[in-house]
Structures are given as structure tokens and as C-alpha cells.
Amino acid sequence: MLIASLFLLWVIVILLVVAVIALARQVRLLQDRAAASPPRGRVKGAGGNAPIVSAPTLAGDMLTIGGPSADGRAMLLLFIRPGCPASRSAIRDALALTDRKKLRLLFLGEGQAEEYGDLLRQHRIRDTDIILNAQVLGDYRAGDRPSAALIDARGRLVARGVVEARAQLDALLVHIEPGEIDGEDKEGMTILS
């Protein structure tokens, strides 16, 4: 009886050691992911004006990002990459959650238009709604993961962050309310992760 209980005790201790090692590995993986995310510091002018960048859409039209909106709508910039499952999910969520009458959705990426062909056709994204420009990605500090930046109608950078899950996109879009669209002042910027 004593030998059986001692054996059972050692089995439990060994299982606990294995569990602690597995947990430590998962914590290390989460820390590595957090270190690889875009910088969490404020963008130059954060809480104030968004960086103003002009770039051509795939249709060839020149579009200016930042500054006061001509149509009075806020703008959601969604940074995507072709062949990325998280980007495909973020696109689906953004299209489902945004009301194009109140919020302009603009997709940004880098590379060649051919790389984005399947993505555009699958989600019915118009050529006027996508810009492939590395300078814009750099100005808004987009990382390797799908992320977004929210600019209000007055051209202020309201919030930005990673949007790999629908809940993250919901949290970002909560910063645009009817009062903001009408021009109500809101100070500061939120960085989501």
C-alpha cells in the first residue's frame, strides 16, 4: 500500500513538472508574439492629426489619406497581406461591420497588384478601395500582422491596433460614434493590441 501511494505521488509530481514546462513554453511564445507586433508607442502627431499621404489606388486615382474628409465620413485603414489567413478574416469582419455610408473602408498593402487578385475577387473589393504603397504602411507603422488605423472626419488619428479577431475590430470601431461623425471633438488616441 505504501509503495503504491509513493508511486502515485511520483507520477503526480512528474505530471506537474511537465505541465509547468508546457505553460512556460506557451508564455514564451506569447511574449515572442507581443515583441513582433507593431510598436505600441504613439505615432507622430498621435491624438492630433493623422499623417497625410497621397497615393494612387489600383484604379489609378490619386487618394489623400489624412486631413479633413471631403465627404464628412471617418476612414478605417485596414492593412492586409496577400496569402495571409488572418488578413482574409480581417477583411470579412471589416466588410461585415462597417457601414459604408458612415465610414469609408480603405485597404492598404504593398507589393504587386497581381498578388492581391484573388483576394480582391473573393471579397469583391473595388480597385478604388485599395492602395499598394509601402510609404503609407511605414507612416502608419503597420506590422506583419493585419492591423488597422481609424481616422475621424476631421483627419485625427483616433485609434490603431492589430485586428486579427473580430473582437479587436469591434474595439477599434467603438471609437467612431455618431457625435464624432458630426464633428464633436474627442481628445487622445487609443492603441489597441
Side-chain angles (χ1 to χ4, degrees), residues 13-40:
V13 168
I14 290 171
L15 288 175
L16 283 174
V17 167
V18 170
V20 167
I21 291 170
L23 184 62
R25 183 173 182 264
Q26 288 299 319
V27 168
R28 199 173 322 114
L29 287 173
L30 287 174
Q31 288 173 338
D32 290 345
R33 278 189 195 162
S37 68
R40 296 186 67 176

PDB file of all heavy atoms in Angstrom, residues 13-40:
ATOM      1  N   VAL A  13       3.798  14.258  -9.332  1.00  0.00           N
ATOM      2  CA  VAL A  13       4.883  15.252  -9.364  1.00  0.00           C
ATOM      3  C   VAL A  13       5.441  15.386 -10.781  1.00  0.00           C
ATOM      4  O   VAL A  13       5.671  16.496 -11.271  1.00  0.00           O
ATOM      5  CB  VAL A  13       5.993  14.886  -8.347  1.00  0.00           C
ATOM      6  CG1 VAL A  13       7.242  15.730  -8.575  1.00  0.00           C
ATOM      7  CG2 VAL A  13       5.485  15.056  -6.930  1.00  0.00           C
ATOM      8  N   ILE A  14       5.644  14.272 -11.454  1.00  0.00           N
ATOM      9  CA  ILE A  14       6.179  14.311 -12.823  1.00  0.00           C
ATOM     10  C   ILE A  14       5.185  15.003 -13.765  1.00  0.00           C
ATOM     11  O   ILE A  14       5.578  15.829 -14.595  1.00  0.00           O
ATOM     12  CB  ILE A  14       6.524  12.883 -13.306  1.00  0.00           C
ATOM     13  CG1 ILE A  14       7.745  12.375 -12.532  1.00  0.00           C
ATOM     14  CG2 ILE A  14       6.795  12.862 -14.807  1.00  0.00           C
ATOM     15  CD1 ILE A  14       8.056  10.910 -12.766  1.00  0.00           C
ATOM     16  N   LEU A  15       3.910  14.721 -13.620  1.00  0.00           N
ATOM     17  CA  LEU A  15       2.896  15.378 -14.448  1.00  0.00           C
ATOM     18  C   LEU A  15       2.860  16.890 -14.191  1.00  0.00           C
ATOM     19  O   LEU A  15       2.698  17.684 -15.118  1.00  0.00           O
ATOM     20  CB  LEU A  15       1.522  14.758 -14.207  1.00  0.00           C
ATOM     21  CG  LEU A  15       1.311  13.359 -14.778  1.00  0.00           C
ATOM     22  CD1 LEU A  15      -0.052  12.818 -14.369  1.00  0.00           C
ATOM     23  CD2 LEU A  15       1.458  13.362 -16.286  1.00  0.00           C
ATOM     24  N   LEU A  16       3.019  17.287 -12.939  1.00  0.00           N
ATOM     25  CA  LEU A  16       3.055  18.715 -12.616  1.00  0.00           C
ATOM     26  C   LEU A  16       4.271  19.394 -13.240  1.00  0.00           C
ATOM     27  O   LEU A  16       4.182  20.515 -13.744  1.00  0.00           O
ATOM     28  CB  LEU A  16       3.039  18.928 -11.103  1.00  0.00           C
ATOM     29  CG  LEU A  16       1.691  18.741 -10.426  1.00  0.00           C
ATOM     30  CD1 LEU A  16       1.844  18.824  -8.912  1.00  0.00           C
ATOM     31  CD2 LEU A  16       0.709  19.788 -10.910  1.00  0.00           C
ATOM     32  N   VAL A  17       5.414  18.735 -13.221  1.00  0.00           N
ATOM     33  CA  VAL A  17       6.619  19.296 -13.836  1.00  0.00           C
ATOM     34  C   VAL A  17       6.409  19.470 -15.344  1.00  0.00           C
ATOM     35  O   VAL A  17       6.751  20.509 -15.924  1.00  0.00           O
ATOM     36  CB  VAL A  17       7.859  18.413 -13.547  1.00  0.00           C
ATOM     37  CG1 VAL A  17       9.036  18.799 -14.419  1.00  0.00           C
ATOM     38  CG2 VAL A  17       8.229  18.508 -12.075  1.00  0.00           C
ATOM     39  N   VAL A  18       5.832  18.471 -16.001  1.00  0.00           N
ATOM     40  CA  VAL A  18       5.547  18.560 -17.439  1.00  0.00           C
ATOM     41  C   VAL A  18       4.576  19.711 -17.712  1.00  0.00           C
ATOM     42  O   VAL A  18       4.761  20.477 -18.674  1.00  0.00           O
ATOM     43  CB  VAL A  18       5.000  17.216 -17.963  1.00  0.00           C
ATOM     44  CG1 VAL A  18       4.462  17.355 -19.377  1.00  0.00           C
ATOM     45  CG2 VAL A  18       6.071  16.143 -17.913  1.00  0.00           C
ATOM     46  N   ALA A  19       3.562  19.871 -16.880  1.00  0.00           N
ATOM     47  CA  ALA A  19       2.588  20.952 -17.060  1.00  0.00           C
ATOM     48  C   ALA A  19       3.247  22.325 -16.911  1.00  0.00           C
ATOM     49  O   ALA A  19       2.969  23.249 -17.675  1.00  0.00           O
ATOM     50  CB  ALA A  19       1.437  20.797 -16.074  1.00  0.00           C
ATOM     51  N   VAL A  20       4.132  22.477 -15.947  1.00  0.00           N
ATOM     52  CA  VAL A  20       4.829  23.749 -15.736  1.00  0.00           C
ATOM     53  C   VAL A  20       5.731  24.067 -16.927  1.00  0.00           C
ATOM     54  O   VAL A  20       5.787  25.209 -17.392  1.00  0.00           O
ATOM     55  CB  VAL A  20       5.627  23.733 -14.407  1.00  0.00           C
ATOM     56  CG1 VAL A  20       6.582  24.901 -14.324  1.00  0.00           C
ATOM     57  CG2 VAL A  20       4.671  23.744 -13.224  1.00  0.00           C
ATOM     58  N   ILE A  21       6.423  23.067 -17.452  1.00  0.00           N
ATOM     59  CA  ILE A  21       7.282  23.285 -18.619  1.00  0.00           C
ATOM     60  C   ILE A  21       6.448  23.700 -19.834  1.00  0.00           C
ATOM     61  O   ILE A  21       6.805  24.624 -20.561  1.00  0.00           O
ATOM     62  CB  ILE A  21       8.123  22.018 -18.915  1.00  0.00           C
ATOM     63  CG1 ILE A  21       9.161  21.825 -17.807  1.00  0.00           C
ATOM     64  CG2 ILE A  21       8.806  22.114 -20.276  1.00  0.00           C
ATOM     65  CD1 ILE A  21       9.887  20.499 -17.869  1.00  0.00           C
ATOM     66  N   ALA A  22       5.315  23.040 -20.054  1.00  0.00           N
ATOM     67  CA  ALA A  22       4.439  23.386 -21.180  1.00  0.00           C
ATOM     68  C   ALA A  22       3.880  24.796 -21.018  1.00  0.00           C
ATOM     69  O   ALA A  22       3.812  25.565 -21.989  1.00  0.00           O
ATOM     70  CB  ALA A  22       3.309  22.374 -21.286  1.00  0.00           C
ATOM     71  N   LEU A  23       3.509  25.165 -19.815  1.00  0.00           N
ATOM     72  CA  LEU A  23       2.994  26.506 -19.561  1.00  0.00           C
ATOM     73  C   LEU A  23       4.074  27.561 -19.791  1.00  0.00           C
ATOM     74  O   LEU A  23       3.808  28.608 -20.385  1.00  0.00           O
ATOM     75  CB  LEU A  23       2.453  26.597 -18.134  1.00  0.00           C
ATOM     76  CG  LEU A  23       1.803  27.912 -17.749  1.00  0.00           C
ATOM     77  CD1 LEU A  23       0.589  28.169 -18.622  1.00  0.00           C
ATOM     78  CD2 LEU A  23       1.397  27.883 -16.291  1.00  0.00           C
ATOM     79  N   ALA A  24       5.292  27.282 -19.349  1.00  0.00           N
ATOM     80  CA  ALA A  24       6.401  28.222 -19.562  1.00  0.00           C
ATOM     81  C   ALA A  24       6.656  28.414 -21.059  1.00  0.00           C
ATOM     82  O   ALA A  24       6.937  29.532 -21.517  1.00  0.00           O
ATOM     83  CB  ALA A  24       7.657  27.725 -18.867  1.00  0.00           C
ATOM     84  N   ARG A  25       6.546  27.346 -21.824  1.00  0.00           N
ATOM     85  CA  ARG A  25       6.750  27.443 -23.274  1.00  0.00           C
ATOM     86  C   ARG A  25       5.668  28.320 -23.910  1.00  0.00           C
ATOM     87  O   ARG A  25       5.951  29.149 -24.774  1.00  0.00           O
ATOM     88  CB  ARG A  25       6.714  26.045 -23.890  1.00  0.00           C
ATOM     89  CG  ARG A  25       6.979  26.054 -25.369  1.00  0.00           C
ATOM     90  CD  ARG A  25       7.104  24.624 -25.902  1.00  0.00           C
ATOM     91  NE  ARG A  25       7.400  24.643 -27.302  1.00  0.00           N
ATOM     92  CZ  ARG A  25       6.491  24.525 -28.263  1.00  0.00           C
ATOM     93  NH1 ARG A  25       5.228  24.380 -27.946  1.00  0.00           N
ATOM     94  NH2 ARG A  25       6.854  24.545 -29.521  1.00  0.00           N
ATOM     95  N   GLN A  26       4.422  28.158 -23.487  1.00  0.00           N
ATOM     96  CA  GLN A  26       3.334  28.966 -24.036  1.00  0.00           C
ATOM     97  C   GLN A  26       3.504  30.443 -23.682  1.00  0.00           C
ATOM     98  O   GLN A  26       3.255  31.320 -24.504  1.00  0.00           O
ATOM     99  CB  GLN A  26       1.977  28.458 -23.523  1.00  0.00           C
ATOM    100  CG  GLN A  26       1.560  27.142 -24.121  1.00  0.00           C
ATOM    101  CD  GLN A  26       1.409  27.214 -25.627  1.00  0.00           C
ATOM    102  OE1 GLN A  26       0.887  28.181 -26.167  1.00  0.00           O
ATOM    103  NE2 GLN A  26       1.901  26.193 -26.317  1.00  0.00           N
ATOM    104  N   VAL A  27       3.935  30.723 -22.468  1.00  0.00           N
ATOM    105  CA  VAL A  27       4.185  32.111 -22.061  1.00  0.00           C
ATOM    106  C   VAL A  27       5.291  32.713 -22.923  1.00  0.00           C
ATOM    107  O   VAL A  27       5.196  33.855 -23.378  1.00  0.00           O
ATOM    108  CB  VAL A  27       4.531  32.193 -20.555  1.00  0.00           C
ATOM    109  CG1 VAL A  27       5.069  33.562 -20.190  1.00  0.00           C
ATOM    110  CG2 VAL A  27       3.318  31.849 -19.715  1.00  0.00           C
ATOM    111  N   ARG A  28       6.345  31.948 -23.185  1.00  0.00           N
ATOM    112  CA  ARG A  28       7.445  32.419 -24.024  1.00  0.00           C
ATOM    113  C   ARG A  28       6.956  32.712 -25.448  1.00  0.00           C
ATOM    114  O   ARG A  28       7.325  33.715 -26.047  1.00  0.00           O
ATOM    115  CB  ARG A  28       8.568  31.384 -24.035  1.00  0.00           C
ATOM    116  CG  ARG A  28       9.889  31.953 -24.473  1.00  0.00           C
ATOM    117  CD  ARG A  28      11.056  30.984 -24.327  1.00  0.00           C
ATOM    118  NE  ARG A  28      11.005  30.153 -23.128  1.00  0.00           N
ATOM    119  CZ  ARG A  28      10.849  28.829 -23.141  1.00  0.00           C
ATOM    120  NH1 ARG A  28      10.734  28.180 -24.268  1.00  0.00           N
ATOM    121  NH2 ARG A  28      10.821  28.149 -22.018  1.00  0.00           N
ATOM    122  N   LEU A  29       6.084  31.851 -25.995  1.00  0.00           N
ATOM    123  CA  LEU A  29       5.527  32.078 -27.328  1.00  0.00           C
ATOM    124  C   LEU A  29       4.688  33.351 -27.373  1.00  0.00           C
ATOM    125  O   LEU A  29       4.764  34.125 -28.332  1.00  0.00           O
ATOM    126  CB  LEU A  29       4.685  30.885 -27.771  1.00  0.00           C
ATOM    127  CG  LEU A  29       5.436  29.625 -28.168  1.00  0.00           C
ATOM    128  CD1 LEU A  29       4.470  28.483 -28.415  1.00  0.00           C
ATOM    129  CD2 LEU A  29       6.284  29.877 -29.392  1.00  0.00           C
ATOM    130  N   LEU A  30       3.892  33.584 -26.340  1.00  0.00           N
ATOM    131  CA  LEU A  30       3.095  34.812 -26.278  1.00  0.00           C
ATOM    132  C   LEU A  30       3.978  36.048 -26.186  1.00  0.00           C
ATOM    133  O   LEU A  30       3.691  37.078 -26.802  1.00  0.00           O
ATOM    134  CB  LEU A  30       2.126  34.761 -25.096  1.00  0.00           C
ATOM    135  CG  LEU A  30       0.933  33.835 -25.258  1.00  0.00           C
ATOM    136  CD1 LEU A  30       0.148  33.761 -23.959  1.00  0.00           C
ATOM    137  CD2 LEU A  30       0.053  34.307 -26.388  1.00  0.00           C
ATOM    138  N   GLN A  31       5.067  35.963 -25.429  1.00  0.00           N
ATOM    139  CA  GLN A  31       5.996  37.089 -25.329  1.00  0.00           C
ATOM    140  C   GLN A  31       6.660  37.358 -26.672  1.00  0.00           C
ATOM    141  O   GLN A  31       6.850  38.513 -27.057  1.00  0.00           O
ATOM    142  CB  GLN A  31       7.049  36.821 -24.264  1.00  0.00           C
ATOM    143  CG  GLN A  31       6.517  36.899 -22.864  1.00  0.00           C
ATOM    144  CD  GLN A  31       7.546  36.470 -21.825  1.00  0.00           C
ATOM    145  OE1 GLN A  31       8.498  35.758 -22.130  1.00  0.00           O
ATOM    146  NE2 GLN A  31       7.335  36.906 -20.590  1.00  0.00           N
ATOM    147  N   ASP A  32       7.014  36.305 -27.405  1.00  0.00           N
ATOM    148  CA  ASP A  32       7.616  36.480 -28.725  1.00  0.00           C
ATOM    149  C   ASP A  32       6.637  37.133 -29.691  1.00  0.00           C
ATOM    150  O   ASP A  32       7.016  37.997 -30.476  1.00  0.00           O
ATOM    151  CB  ASP A  32       8.082  35.137 -29.295  1.00  0.00           C
ATOM    152  CG  ASP A  32       9.282  34.581 -28.556  1.00  0.00           C
ATOM    153  OD1 ASP A  32       9.932  35.347 -27.809  1.00  0.00           O
ATOM    154  OD2 ASP A  32       9.561  33.367 -28.707  1.00  0.00           O
ATOM    155  N   ARG A  33       5.362  36.738 -29.639  1.00  0.00           N
ATOM    156  CA  ARG A  33       4.349  37.363 -30.497  1.00  0.00           C
ATOM    157  C   ARG A  33       4.174  38.830 -30.167  1.00  0.00           C
ATOM    158  O   ARG A  33       4.035  39.662 -31.044  1.00  0.00           O
ATOM    159  CB  ARG A  33       3.003  36.663 -30.333  1.00  0.00           C
ATOM    160  CG  ARG A  33       2.869  35.443 -31.137  1.00  0.00           C
ATOM    161  CD  ARG A  33       1.448  34.953 -31.084  1.00  0.00           C
ATOM    162  NE  ARG A  33       1.364  33.602 -31.569  1.00  0.00           N
ATOM    163  CZ  ARG A  33       0.363  32.813 -31.344  1.00  0.00           C
ATOM    164  NH1 ARG A  33      -0.664  33.233 -30.627  1.00  0.00           N
ATOM    165  NH2 ARG A  33       0.350  31.594 -31.826  1.00  0.00           N
ATOM    166  N   ALA A  34       4.158  39.146 -28.886  1.00  0.00           N
ATOM    167  CA  ALA A  34       3.994  40.543 -28.476  1.00  0.00           C
ATOM    168  C   ALA A  34       5.184  41.374 -28.917  1.00  0.00           C
ATOM    169  O   ALA A  34       5.037  42.525 -29.315  1.00  0.00           O
ATOM    170  CB  ALA A  34       3.812  40.637 -26.967  1.00  0.00           C
ATOM    171  N   ALA A  35       6.378  40.820 -28.881  1.00  0.00           N
ATOM    172  CA  ALA A  35       7.573  41.549 -29.307  1.00  0.00           C
ATOM    173  C   ALA A  35       7.567  41.776 -30.809  1.00  0.00           C
ATOM    174  O   ALA A  35       8.112  42.767 -31.298  1.00  0.00           O
ATOM    175  CB  ALA A  35       8.828  40.781 -28.905  1.00  0.00           C
ATOM    176  N   ALA A  36       6.924  40.889 -31.575  1.00  0.00           N
ATOM    177  CA  ALA A  36       6.891  41.022 -33.031  1.00  0.00           C
ATOM    178  C   ALA A  36       5.787  41.957 -33.508  1.00  0.00           C
ATOM    179  O   ALA A  36       5.736  42.294 -34.669  1.00  0.00           O
ATOM    180  CB  ALA A  36       6.701  39.652 -33.673  1.00  0.00           C
ATOM    181  N   SER A  37       4.897  42.378 -32.619  1.00  0.00           N
ATOM    182  CA  SER A  37       3.802  43.250 -33.031  1.00  0.00           C
ATOM    183  C   SER A  37       4.321  44.649 -33.324  1.00  0.00           C
ATOM    184  O   SER A  37       5.410  45.022 -32.924  1.00  0.00           O
ATOM    185  CB  SER A  37       2.734  43.288 -31.937  1.00  0.00           C
ATOM    186  OG  SER A  37       3.227  43.937 -30.806  1.00  0.00           O
ATOM    187  N   PRO A  38       3.517  45.466 -34.013  1.00  0.00           N
ATOM    188  CA  PRO A  38       3.942  46.819 -34.320  1.00  0.00           C
ATOM    189  C   PRO A  38       4.239  47.600 -33.048  1.00  0.00           C
ATOM    190  O   PRO A  38       3.675  47.316 -31.997  1.00  0.00           O
ATOM    191  CB  PRO A  38       2.736  47.426 -35.039  1.00  0.00           C
ATOM    192  CG  PRO A  38       1.920  46.283 -35.482  1.00  0.00           C
ATOM    193  CD  PRO A  38       2.219  45.166 -34.544  1.00  0.00           C
ATOM    194  N   PRO A  39       5.104  48.609 -33.117  1.00  0.00           N
ATOM    195  CA  PRO A  39       5.434  49.392 -31.941  1.00  0.00           C
ATOM    196  C   PRO A  39       4.182  49.969 -31.296  1.00  0.00           C
ATOM    197  O   PRO A  39       3.279  50.398 -31.997  1.00  0.00           O
ATOM    198  CB  PRO A  39       6.319  50.511 -32.492  1.00  0.00           C
ATOM    199  CG  PRO A  39       6.796  50.027 -33.812  1.00  0.00           C
ATOM    200  CD  PRO A  39       5.785  49.062 -34.318  1.00  0.00           C
ATOM    201  N   ARG A  40       4.155  49.948 -29.968  1.00  0.00           N
ATOM    202  CA  ARG A  40       2.974  50.430 -29.265  1.00  0.00           C
ATOM    203  C   ARG A  40       3.075  51.895 -28.898  1.00  0.00           C
ATOM    204  O   ARG A  40       2.169  52.458 -28.313  1.00  0.00           O
ATOM    205  CB  ARG A  40       2.756  49.592 -28.015  1.00  0.00           C
ATOM    206  CG  ARG A  40       2.457  48.148 -28.363  1.00  0.00           C
ATOM    207  CD  ARG A  40       2.119  47.379 -27.184  1.00  0.00           C
ATOM    208  NE  ARG A  40       0.838  47.884 -26.677  1.00  0.00           N
ATOM    209  CZ  ARG A  40       0.203  47.370 -25.666  1.00  0.00           C
ATOM    210  NH1 ARG A  40       0.692  46.355 -25.039  1.00  0.00           N
ATOM    211  NH2 ARG A  40      -0.930  47.874 -25.258  1.00  0.00           N
TER     212      ARG A  40
END
